Amino acid sequence: MKIVVLDGYTENPGDLSWDALKALGDVTVYDRTSYEESPLIAERIGDAEIVIINKTPISKETIDKCPNMKLIAVLATGYNVVDYTYAKEKNIPVVNVPTYGTQIVGQYALGLLLEICSHYGHHDETVKAGKWENNDDWCYWDYPMIELYGKTAGIIGLGRIGQATAKLLNALDMKVLAYDAYQSEAGAKLAEYVSLDELFAQSDVIFLHCPLFPETEGMINKENIAKMKDGVILINNSRGQLVVEQDLADALNSGKVYAAGLDVVSTEPIKGDNPLLKAKNCIITPHISWAARASRQRIMDITVDNIKAFLDGNTVNQVNK
């Protein structure tokens, strides 16, 4: 069984092992191939039967060029880089890793918020630059210090990650609201379900934890930002395409949105002309909410299990049934 990993570096930059995968067949691992459509993708797949990708696209054209392909395994939850509909037509299962980073992504979302509220990194830098030792007073702060106790947080998307975030916010004694098209009993124990407009109007902080669908793409736009409180804080470590970036940049620069903590943008890696790069009070990190070693090990383990199940004729975590 020939197995090829087309972009393995972000999953395993050297601190994990591919040995469990290698026990299943003849494995070739490429650190990077291409994040855009390229003939190199099909060339590297060759006659491999199992293709493992993270963000390298698998298009109809690539599938047609690789008739030996029998399984596409995604080292992530999102699978929009694969033409999974066409793969289904060709009887090629596409499998993903639906749950691996629930806790770490919720933790990271809270971390972005705490950084906005206290600016730990900035103040550390100023202390080491000598500002404290030369200060007239025994303390100083360069940004407003924000207390979260008693404030209202709104979570758009109260699935597993949204619920993990809600638990952390409850521990801070924040009021937690949520909007989700599919309400659950578990979610109702952690947050009060409200309409989307109510969430926009009442929330001091808004977290995006929803998938990217046609109905959610661009949902943070100037019309919806206008419905929000003045001085709202936005946290997004879900999908960059949920946000109309120019509209958010305008709102940050005007002060309508006080600050944003973002781990995702619409095009990744980020482009130099992204308006958020120059927006006021905007923290941007390079899509690393998921990247803790423990989280990546779970991705590896679940992917190996996905392939084992396929080889045994019991495909699991298939997204294109």
Side-chain angles (χ1 to χ4, degrees):
M1 181 67 62
K2 286 191 175 182
I3 303 171
V4 62
V5 182
L6 290 178
D7 55 336
Y9 184 81
T10 52
E11 161 63 12
N12 178 17
D15 56 351
L16 301 179
S17 171
W18 297 106
D19 286 351
L21 186 63
K22 291 177 179 178
L24 302 179
D26 178 12
V27 178
T28 301
V29 178
Y30 296 100
D31 283 345
R32 303 167 189 87
T33 296
S34 176
Y35 296 136
E36 298 177 352
E37 183 67 18
S38 167
L40 181 62
I41 298 170
E43 179 183 324
R44 286 188 168 179
I45 292 171
D47 61 352
E49 295 148 293
I50 296 176
V51 178
I52 300 175
I53 58 103
N54 194 323
K55 296 294 184 288
T56 296
I58 303 295
S59 66
K60 175 181 183 295
E61 291 73 20
T62 296
I63 292 171
D64 284 339
K65 290 178 182 177
C66 303
N68 214 36
M69 192 187 306
K70 294 181 173 61
L71 177 73
I72 301 169
V74 185
L75 292 163
T77 301
Y79 49 89
N80 57 298
V81 294
V82 180
D83 190 337
Y84 53 89
T85 302
Y86 187 66
K88 179 182 178 181
E89 291 179 20
K90 304 295 284 187
N91 295 314
I92 302 171
V94 178
V95 296
N96 73 336
V97 183
T99 306
Y100 67 89
T102 300
Q103 305 306 326
I104 188 61
V105 176
Q107 172 187 312
Y108 199 94
L110 180 62
L112 288 170
L113 176 59
L114 295 177
E115 174 63 19
I116 287 169
C117 291
S118 300
H119 293 274
Y120 306 110
H122 165 81
H123 288 105
D124 170 67
E125 289 177 358
T126 62
V127 167
K128 291 172 180 174
K131 185 171 181 176
W132 196 11
E133 65 182 285
N134 297 306
N135 202 59
D136 291 336
D137 301 303
W138 62 273
C139 72
Y140 65 91
W141 53 93
D142 292 342
Y143 292 89
M145 297 287 103
I146 298 174
E147 182 180 64
L148 293 171
Y149 171 80
K151 293 191 181 297
T152 299
I155 301 174
I156 301 176
L158 200 62
R160 288 183 290 262
I161 294 173
Q163 290 178 31
T165 301
K167 291 176 184 177
L168 297 172
L169 300 173
N170 284 326
L172 293 173
D173 285 329
M174 297 185 75
K175 180 180 180 182
V176 183
L177 307 177
Y179 170 78
D180 198 304
Y182 303 97
Q183 299 183 9
S184 69
E185 184 177 340
K189 293 178 180 178
L190 297 169
E192 176 188 349
Y193 283 110
V194 296
S195 70
L196 187 58
D197 281 352
E198 287 179 276
L199 186 146
F200 286 144
Q202 296 182 40
S203 299
D204 300 297
V205 184
I206 295 174
F207 292 85
L208 302 183
H209 284 314
C210 54
L212 178 64
F213 294 130
E215 58 268 28
T216 60
E217 184 173 4
M219 68 185 306
I220 303 302
N221 53 45
K222 60 184 178 182
E223 290 80 12
N224 283 333
I225 290 172
K227 300 174 185 177
M228 299 177 190
K229 283 185 176 183
D230 292 346
V232 67
I233 295 170
L234 178 73
I235 305 295
N236 183 19
N237 60 338
S238 180
R239 291 289 182 266
Q241 297 93 331
L242 300 172
V243 176
V244 178
E245 290 171 334
Q246 186 63 61
D247 290 356
L248 176 57
D250 292 343
L252 286 162
N253 291 330
S254 72
K256 172 66 179 181
V257 175
Y258 170 70
L262 311 174
D263 188 47
V264 290
V265 292
S266 60
T267 301
E268 297 174 350
I270 196 168
K271 302 296 184 184
D273 61 354
N274 190 307
L276 294 169
L277 286 170
K278 296 181 179 179
K280 295 179 181 177
N281 293 338
C282 187
I283 296 171
I284 305 174
T285 57
H287 202 149
I288 52 174
S289 296
W290 66 285
R293 185 182 185 280
S295 176
R296 288 183 289 108
Q297 184 64 62
R298 283 191 289 272
I299 293 174
M300 184 78 77
D301 294 343
I302 294 170
T303 298
V304 169
D305 288 343
N306 284 345
I307 294 171
K308 286 181 178 178
F310 169 75
L311 294 175
D312 290 339
N314 302 306
T315 303
V316 297
N317 295 323
Q318 183 177 348
V319 300
N320 65 338
K321 290 183 179 179

